[in-house]
Amino acid sequence: MAPVRIAFDKELVLSGHFLLRHLEKAELRRLAAAARLAYHKPNEIIFQKGDPGDSMMAVVRGRVKICSHSSDGKELVLNIIGKGGLFGEIALLDGQPRTADAVALEETDLLVLDRSSFMPFLSERPAVALQLITVLCKRLRQTSEHLEDTLFLEASSRFARALMRLAEVFGRPAPNNGLTLDIKLSQQQLGSLVGVSRESINKLLGEWQRSGVIAVANGHITLLDRGALEDIAAVTG
């Protein structure tokens, strides 16, 4: 079956992005002329650690996994970027190689801004540069939190925090004040996200389902008792 390809108005996409929505129409037109659209199939590698950092991407449709791998093949999921999110900004700004891998989790369309055209544009617009700095600061805070969680928290607390973070980005209302994660991740992927084994994730999911904290159906996790999940997340090692 052929992949579903969707036509996008690049200027319209840019005008709706938080980083660029305040630009004048002429500025948007100039940037749109230099941008390009890229389609990626599920599980397709977008770039790998060490690749040249010659562009930044905005997710138009789909979701992207940012991850790293150890020498023995173990995966650590650093972030999941959804619609409207940016990635690749670090290498774009300093011109150095990519710091991690980026992989499409599903059919994904990206708006690609090449360094050669975006850096001159950025130097002329301090307001956009400040917005991008805010994005970088948020990434740094997320990295620090991830490291602290790994060092100081038990697996159950790390997983509870991860579910709540995912809910902030991908949550949609469910019955009885629940919140369903509008994203499908395997137990292996969830384990990679918090640095624990698939077996541990399976055990925790089972325990929390039996106690009514969550529900799992058709690959989607619903947070039923967010108060209980917050209590679990607060437990330190």
Side-chain angles (χ1 to χ4, degrees):
M1 183 176 179
V4 177
R5 305 298 296 273
I6 299 176
F8 295 99
D9 183 324
K10 291 188 291 182
E11 192 173 324
L12 185 63
V13 170
L14 289 172
S15 68
H17 200 278
F18 76 95
L19 194 67
L20 307 166
R21 61 168 65 109
H22 301 301
L23 295 179
E24 299 290 336
K25 193 169 182 64
E27 294 175 317
L28 286 169
R29 189 177 300 115
R30 171 187 165 189
L31 199 55
R36 55 191 169 86
L37 288 167
Y39 168 81
H40 293 275
K41 298 178 293 185
N43 301 313
E44 183 178 351
I45 295 172
I46 299 167
F47 58 70
Q48 292 181 296
K49 183 177 181 178
D51 285 351
D54 53 7
S55 60
M56 176 176 70
M57 291 84 167
V59 180
V60 180
R61 179 182 68 134
R63 296 183 176 99
V64 174
K65 173 178 68 175
I66 308 299
C67 56
S68 186
H69 295 85
S70 65
S71 58
D72 59 356
K74 292 181 180 177
E75 181 184 67
L76 175 64
V77 178
L78 303 171
N79 204 357
I80 296 173
I81 312 295
K83 181 180 178 180
L86 287 175
F87 65 98
E89 72 283 347
I90 295 176
L92 174 125
L93 289 173
D94 65 12
Q96 297 299 305
R98 300 292 187 189
T99 58
D101 299 350
V103 181
L105 285 173
E106 55 196 65
E107 286 196 342
T108 297
D109 288 291
L110 304 174
L111 192 63
V112 183
L113 297 166
D114 290 316
R115 189 172 196 271
S116 58
S117 57
F118 189 67
M119 290 304 290
F121 180 89
L122 194 63
S123 66
E124 298 168 9
R125 288 154 184 83
V128 177
L130 287 172
Q131 285 274 56
L132 197 51
I133 289 172
T134 300
V135 172
L136 289 170
C137 289
K138 184 177 180 180
R139 293 273 195 269
L140 182 58
R141 288 178 185 275
Q142 289 174 337
T143 301
S144 296
E145 289 174 3
H146 197 288
L147 180 59
E148 287 181 2
D149 288 356
T150 302
L151 290 174
F152 301 132
L153 297 182
E154 298 290 340
S156 57
S157 298
R158 299 207 304 269
F159 188 32
R161 289 193 181 192
L163 289 180
M164 290 191 296
R165 282 196 294 264
L166 288 171
E168 289 178 7
V169 181
F170 303 111
R172 54 181 170 81
N176 300 318
N177 202 34
L179 203 60
T180 296
L181 304 186
D182 190 22
I183 182 172
K184 283 187 177 183
L185 294 172
S186 68
Q187 292 183 7
Q188 184 65 53
Q189 289 171 327
L190 289 169
S192 297
L193 188 62
V194 293
V196 301
S197 67
R198 185 199 65 77
E199 291 77 14
S200 295
I201 294 297
N202 180 271
K203 180 181 178 182
L204 288 169
L205 287 174
E207 289 177 356
W208 294 349
Q209 283 188 89
R210 288 190 293 273
S211 60
V213 175
I214 65 168
V216 182
N218 300 319
H220 290 284
I221 298 173
T222 297
L223 312 187
L224 299 175
D225 189 341
R226 281 177 275 175
L229 208 58
E230 288 170 0
D231 290 342
I232 296 169
V235 176
T236 57

